[in-house]
Amino acid sequence: DTAVSQTPKYLVTQMGNDKSIKCEQNLGHDTMYWYKQDSKKFLKIMFSYNNKELIINETVPNRFSPKSPDKAHLNLHINSLELGDSAVYFCASSQDNRARGELFFGEGSRLTVL
Amino acid sequence: DAKTTQPTSMDCAEGRAANLPCNHSTISGNEYVYWYRQIHSQGPQYIIHGLKNNETNEMASLIITEDRKSSTLILPHATLRDTAVYYCIVRVGGSGSARQLTFGSGTQLTVLP
């Protein structure tokens, strides 16, 4: 079983649409993240949830809204998509009380906005 | 968090050791050095981390200089599958250390046949 799984893997949509990316982890971790990797390959954190509570919220437009229904899931909903939202979005998880600082990443969801 | 400096790219012959350097001259006493890699089209993968002692695991070795201002990640016998972008990250350790790991531009390692 994949430890951190994201769906869909590819998403092509028109400007102005609303879309969601789902993430699930089966590692029993208590913290989950969304990262964005743009065309220049820089990987930036967007959000982090610990036990369903938002703990990191970087400067991200309000059109992006994460939702964590439980510890094992962190979904990302994006409203009114813009061309600049085209990127690969990675979900990740970690166990917060472990000192290893080890993040487990999903395979990524490539979003293309036309 | 301390800033890191890595070469943009490196080549290595298959079967030889790949030595990837990282400078972190402003590292603080409680900051660890973490290494991740990202193989094309995949999510980043944790490799190793250390504070001041050299570390080794099944993937790699991490050599940290005595003054902790630089480190080297060593892949002892590089294979074509080790071709990836390697990220050196400095971060405070302990509980919650995985939070806000900041990924720079990394080193593109290309293993040549």
Side-chain angles (χ1 to χ4, degrees), chain A residues 37-104:
Chain A
Q37 188 165 43
D38 60 24
S39 57
K40 295 182 180 178
K41 302 299 183 183
F42 286 109
L43 194 60
K44 291 185 179 179
I45 190 167
M46 301 173 67
F47 302 102
S48 176
Y49 273 73
N50 177 262
N51 286 315
K52 301 196 300 176
E53 181 182 342
L54 182 65
I55 54 171
I56 295 173
N57 186 358
E58 294 298 313
T59 306
V60 175
N62 291 337
R63 299 181 294 103
F64 290 78
S65 54
K67 281 192 171 51
S68 181
D70 56 58
K71 266 187 1 175
H73 296 84
L74 180 62
N75 303 322
L76 183 64
H77 188 74
I78 315 170
N79 290 325
S80 304
L81 279 157
E82 300 177 358
L83 293 176
D85 298 332
S86 295
V88 182
Y89 293 85
F90 288 99
C91 178
S93 72
S94 69
Q95 183 58 30
D96 214 35
N97 60 2
R98 289 190 194 154
R100 276 166 64 96
E102 184 173 0
L103 284 167
F104 291 79

Side-chain angles (χ1 to χ4, degrees), chain B residues 16-29:
Chain B
R16 305 296 289 267
N19 298 291
L20 293 99
C22 179
N23 285 323
H24 31 79
S25 57
T26 60
I27 191 170
S28 301

